[in-house]
Amino acid sequence: MNRSVYKLRPSDFWRIGEHESWFTDMAARGLYLKKMGIHFARFEKGEPRDMKYRIDVSTTKRIPGEQIEMYGESGWGYVTSYGQFHVFSSPAEEDASELHTDPAEQAYTLKELDKKLAWNAGSAIIGMVLMFGMMASIWLLDGTPTYVMVDGSMITQTILTIFIAYTAYHSLRAALSIRDLRKRLVEGKPIDHHASWKKHHRIHTAAAFLFTVVVGLSAIIPFAQLAKMETNTLPEGSVDLPIVRLADVENDPDMIRAEAEYMSDNVDWGNRLSSEWSPLAPVQYESDESGVVPGKLWEDLSGEYSPAIHTEYYQLRFPGMAENLVSDLVERYRYDNSLDEYVEKKHADLDLLIVHAEEGMKEVFAAHGDAVMYVRYHGDADVSTVIENVVGKIR
């Protein structure tokens, strides 16, 4: 039994002369074409032989039997088809006459393929534009592109969009190449059956490897994020995590945890701790904590004093992203507030510190090295107390 060997195709399908040359070179090494796939070709091993290959293009995927018989009478044996491309071979010593002796006539056989590829290219480009429009709206409309990257939820979609863009580019090249080939045939220039295929083979192989690795890894990201995502009720005692605790800010021994208002999956979402992962921020924590001081009222006497605090912590893969992430967090949480209300302050232990304070609420945005922290506090404690707790927790 002849052993099958699979080879990555050397170049794009529309490069007819290069494919013919490749088949010939493989036969000279004892590998005879048997089947063509989207990316690979199957060969069977045999004795090396000098063979000629020709590709004929039809308007349909099935070549008529009468045409195969006619070519057979001229010394060409049918080998296989891929799409509208049909491969024939002939031993070189038989010196079979060419399938097409008139280039202009051969150009006519490419007319339907030319239309089809032009349609495919137009559709792919429209799809690419729509995808880019959708991605741009997600990335830019909120004005928080760094936050979107750090969050990680759009990485797979972004890589998919790049892949679609490459596909559109590939479709456009196919359409232009076939049109150019038709033009050259009409001008009486025959196909070069010995065209060099090695250069495009290297490019094609590198691109296929790169896209396989990148798309494969991007497909893993959502599953990795799900596996690492975890939310639990925040313990009342101390935890060795970079989050600011309400008790440290309040420093009131009478404060107790507020009664749970929303429980789901056995998690008190008013006192919860979530951890997440993304390629650009492998360590992420988000916590909410709420308390109450029995018998104590808010300063405006609006009710029982019930402070709350929210913390977000990001440890970034690249420290150079920290400043942009702080800026995006300000944009994300400022709502209708003016940017003028967010004041940058200097602190010896922080690379960047931005503070926003209004009645009953303080926000602190901080960066130190590869760490970024955002704290939103509702309570009577001074903002300086919140800042010092951020300094103590950010790493």
Side-chain angles (χ1 to χ4, degrees), residues 57 59 84 107-123 171 174-176 178-179 182:
V57 180
T59 57
Q84 295 167 268
Y108 182 78
T109 67
L110 300 176
K111 184 177 180 180
E112 292 301 318
L113 179 65
D114 184 6
K115 291 181 180 177
K116 179 181 178 181
L117 293 181
W119 172 262
N120 290 346
S123 302
S171 298
L176 295 176
I178 287 296
R179 183 148 301 181
R182 278 191 67 202

Side-chain angles (χ1 to χ4, degrees), residues 354-387:
I354 295 176
V355 174
H356 170 238
E358 57 185 50
E359 186 176 358
M361 195 267 279
K362 291 91 180 176
E363 291 180 292
V364 175
F365 306 80
H368 176 62
D370 61 357
V372 169
M373 183 175 282
Y374 164 63
V375 175
R376 182 178 61 249
Y377 164 71
H378 294 266
D380 292 339
D382 191 85
V383 69
S384 61
T385 303
V386 181
I387 293 173

Side-chain angles (χ1 to χ4, degrees), residues 23-43:
F23 300 147
T24 297
D25 289 352
M26 291 299 102
R29 295 165 51 184
L31 298 175
Y32 295 91
L33 178 69
K34 293 299 176 184
K35 191 71 177 177
M36 286 286 286
I38 297 176
H39 299 293
F40 290 90
R42 181 169 65 85
F43 296 85

Side-chain angles (χ1 to χ4, degrees), residues 117-134:
L117 293 181
W119 172 262
N120 290 346
S123 302
I125 290 172
I126 291 173
M128 179 192 69
V129 171
L130 292 176
M131 283 294 293
F132 268 104
M134 184 183 71

Side-chain angles (χ1 to χ4, degrees), residues 164-179:
I164 290 174
Y166 176 76
T167 302
Y169 165 73
H170 197 265
S171 298
L172 181 60
R173 284 186 60 198
L176 295 176
S177 295
I178 287 296
R179 183 148 301 181

Side-chain angles (χ1 to χ4, degrees), residues 114-161:
D114 184 6
K115 291 181 180 177
K116 179 181 178 181
L117 293 181
W119 172 262
N120 290 346
S123 302
I125 290 172
I126 291 173
M128 179 192 69
V129 171
L130 292 176
M131 283 294 293
F132 268 104
M134 184 183 71
M135 292 298 300
S137 65
I138 295 173
W139 280 87
L140 303 176
L141 282 185
D142 287 342
T144 59
T146 302
Y147 178 82
V148 172
M149 282 195 295
V150 168
D151 179 64
S153 58
M154 292 302 300
I155 292 178
T156 301
Q157 291 89 332
T158 302
I159 293 174
L160 178 62
T161 301

